Amino acid sequence: MSNKYKIALSLSFVFAVLFVLPWIGLVEQVREGDLKSGDSSIPPRLVFLFFTVFGVSILSFLVNFSWIRSLQAITGGRRWIVALISNLLFVAISAAVVVILAIVIFRVQAIAPYFLIYFFRNLLITVMVVLVTYVVDLVERLKQERIEVLQLQKRNAETELAVLRSQVDPHFLFNTLTTLGSLVRSNNSEAVAFIDHMADTYRYMLENRGLKAVPVREELSFVESYLFMMKKRFEEGLYVITNIREEFLDRTIPQFSLQIVVENAIKHNVISGKRALRIEVESDDECIIVRNNLQKKISSNGHGMGLDNLAQRYWLMAQKKIVVASDRNRFEARLPVL
């Protein structure tokens, strides 16, 4: 049994006891002779009072807990109007049921006064229940948000580690330094530019650690530095076309998201002078699109854990989904801007 249903049972019992206690005092006064009454039906009425209050409270809790979930799709004031109307209907129906039970058990005759008494009593119970369910729902949402923040921090840390690991990977460093060595021997100006871009790449990773989202402009600059090194390594085997709309540059995107998709394309595809890899980075209304021609390596398996991790980060940060599509000739990833 979940905590909220334990709360419902406990508070329903408390409500029932609180409603019965004043009448227990009245019964004691009758027994002591302070009040003259020959009504021997008071004890059964106390039992009836206890169980009707307990039952109405339990049902009200169940109804309100279910409403909180079912009304999540309704936003604004309409949600509260629907909840108010539904609770008033519940109060009226429950009062009518209690009156029917009172007629059957105690043969009461004054139906209208009894209905009004039970209506306002059940209304008071429902108001208390609504307040409690609101607090319980608030606590649960705060707890869920805390869990999502911790999950996002974990995913961010995993992404930072994966990106840093890929950049300090022995194969990456060996290939990078080999490329740098050939540039130093053949073209000093390109070697200086290569070193500058390499420094920019590592500076971005170190300076922006821990950030959830970064401007598209900064992420794109980081990716361009990374691609500069890759193009020097693969030469005519790698073509990159970038076409991002100006208004997108100040929007934000999860850190390393573009780099993960681009690196994924380079890592999982054959790149050579005869089989060039073409990567296109462009934007539409709400997404940045990264696509490449598909020529998978024999050892390649799927699209990599990086995209799965990135998809979870997107959902935790903004409840948005990345869209990945592929066929025999093309791979495409659509990254929503935030």
Side-chain angles (χ1 to χ4, degrees):
M1 183 183 297
S2 63
N3 288 332
K4 64 181 182 181
Y5 291 112
K6 291 179 181 179
I7 292 173
L9 284 172
S10 302
L11 289 180
S12 296
F13 180 81
V14 171
F15 291 160
V17 170
L18 291 177
F19 272 91
V20 168
L21 278 177
W23 292 100
I24 292 178
L26 179 62
V27 170
E28 292 301 320
Q29 288 182 357
V30 171
R31 288 177 177 175
E32 291 174 3
D34 294 336
L35 295 177
K36 303 299 181 182
S37 174
D39 188 358
S40 61
S41 64
I42 290 181
R45 288 181 183 272
L46 291 180
V47 175
F48 180 78
L49 175 61
F50 178 89
F51 282 104
T52 54
V53 171
F54 183 81
V56 169
S57 179
I58 284 289
L59 290 174
S60 184
F61 270 115
L62 293 176
V63 170
N64 276 278
F65 279 140
S66 64
W67 278 334
I68 289 174
R69 289 186 177 181
S70 64
L71 297 178
Q72 292 297 326
I74 304 176
T75 58
R78 289 185 300 170
R79 177 181 177 183
W80 298 108
I81 293 174
V82 172
L84 176 62
I85 294 174
S86 301
N87 273 296
L88 289 175
L89 285 174
F90 170 78
V91 170
I93 293 171
S94 61
V97 171
V98 174
V99 169
I100 293 171
L101 291 175
I103 293 173
V104 172
I105 298 173
F106 300 110
R107 302 290 191 271
V108 298
Q109 300 297 323
I111 297 176
Y114 270 85
F115 176 81
L116 289 176
I117 291 172
Y118 291 135
F119 179 87
F120 286 108
R121 187 194 72 181
N122 292 356
L123 180 62
L124 177 60
I125 294 171
T126 302
V127 169
M128 292 188 291
V129 168
V130 168
L131 292 175
V132 172
T133 53
Y134 174 78
V135 172
V136 170
D137 180 54
L138 181 62
V139 170
E140 286 190 347
R141 282 192 281 115
L142 291 174
K143 181 179 178 181
Q144 183 61 33
E145 289 175 1
R146 177 60 179 166
I147 292 173
E148 290 179 355
V149 168
L150 292 175
Q151 289 177 338
L152 181 58
Q153 290 175 347
K154 178 184 175 183
R155 294 299 176 188
N156 285 338
E158 289 175 350
T159 300
E160 290 175 12
L161 180 60
V163 172
L164 186 59
R165 184 181 296 157
S166 70
Q167 303 302 324
V168 298
D169 179 78
H171 295 290
F172 175 83
L173 286 177
F174 175 78
N175 292 325
T176 301
L177 293 175
T178 300
T179 303
L180 177 59
S182 63
L183 290 175
V184 169
R185 286 190 294 270
S186 61
N187 191 325
N188 288 334
S189 61
E190 288 194 1
V192 172
F194 189 93
I195 293 172
D196 288 339
H197 283 286
M198 188 175 180
D200 289 341
T201 299
Y202 283 97
R203 184 184 302 111
Y204 179 84
M205 289 189 295
L206 294 174
E207 290 181 351
N208 293 290
R209 291 183 62 191
L211 295 180
K212 297 179 181 178
V214 294
V216 173
R217 188 187 308 276
E218 294 182 11
E219 181 75 6
L220 191 60
S221 177
F222 165 63
V223 172
E224 287 174 347
S225 293
Y226 171 76
L227 286 172
F228 179 89
M229 294 187 294
M230 294 298 100
K231 283 188 283 187
K232 292 301 179 184
R233 172 185 167 187
F234 294 106
E235 297 181 343
E236 295 181 357
L238 180 62
Y239 290 92
V240 181
I241 299 175
T242 303
N243 184 22
I244 303 293
R245 288 155 53 178
E246 184 68 26
E247 59 267 26
F248 267 46
L249 297 179
D250 292 323
R251 302 279 293 274
T252 58
I253 197 170
Q255 188 184 17
F256 304 124
S257 53
L258 279 178
Q259 193 269 349
I260 287 172
V261 180
V262 170
E263 184 183 39
N264 180 75
I266 296 173
K267 184 177 180 181
H268 292 279
N269 288 280
V270 174
I271 306 176
S272 66
K274 295 182 179 180
R275 301 184 64 187
L277 179 67
R278 181 185 177 94
I279 300 176
E280 299 176 4
V281 182
E282 60 183 37
S283 58
D284 65 3
D285 292 338
E286 287 297 326
C287 293
I288 293 178
I289 305 167
V290 182
R291 67 171 62 93
N292 61 271
N293 56 315
L294 202 58
Q295 40 197 34
K296 287 185 178 181
K297 293 179 180 178
I298 297 177
S299 60
S300 177
N301 183 21
H303 53 67
M305 293 299 295
L307 289 182
D308 293 333
N309 195 348
L310 179 61
Q312 294 181 38
R313 290 174 63 207
Y314 257 104
W315 183 253
L316 290 171
M317 290 178 66
Q319 284 71 54
K320 291 186 177 182
K321 296 181 179 180
I322 66 173
V323 178
V324 176
S326 64
D327 54 32
R328 294 180 60 184
N329 301 313
R330 189 182 70 169
F331 180 90
E332 179 180 288
R334 303 175 67 89
L335 309 176
V337 292
L338 307 181

